[in-house]
Amino acid sequence: MSSPADRLVYMANQIGTFFRSQGHDKAVPGIADHIKKFWDPRMKRAIFAHLDAGGTGLEPNVLEALTSLRQTTSLPAAH
């Protein structure tokens, strides 16, 4: 049985795959920017919760991007 976070991990890693060819220094901020712009607050809250729980399954560049994004993102409280 997969968890709700599994789909988000898959999606985040797909974004990471897209940016991989740009090299680490461009890929990490590119991934963070894409998630910041295009993921809704519920998705970000869920992936950040997964990150806080260890980030299992996230590719290294994606993990780094989410860690930096987590530090600079404030989300409205869940309703």
Side-chain angles (χ1 to χ4, degrees), residues 1-15 39 43 46-47 50 56-58:
M1 179 111 170
S2 63
S3 75
D6 289 344
R7 181 73 183 153
L8 294 176
V9 168
Y10 173 80
M11 292 168 62
N13 285 337
Q14 288 295 105
I15 295 165
W39 284 28
M43 293 168 71
I47 200 70
H50 180 73
T56 302
L58 292 167

Side-chain angles (χ1 to χ4, degrees), residues 13-67:
N13 285 337
Q14 288 295 105
I15 295 165
T17 298
F18 174 81
F19 283 100
R20 185 181 302 142
S21 66
Q22 296 182 17
H24 175 269
D25 292 346
K26 289 185 180 178
V28 170
I31 296 163
D33 188 55
H34 181 91
I35 291 171
K36 180 179 180 180
K37 287 181 180 175
F38 298 109
W39 284 28
D40 71 43
R42 290 170 303 165
M43 293 168 71
K44 286 185 256 192
R45 255 192 300 281
I47 200 70
F48 291 158
H50 180 73
L51 181 67
D52 292 344
T56 302
L58 292 167
E59 299 285 332
N61 281 352
V62 175
L63 190 61
E64 188 175 338
L66 287 170
T67 300

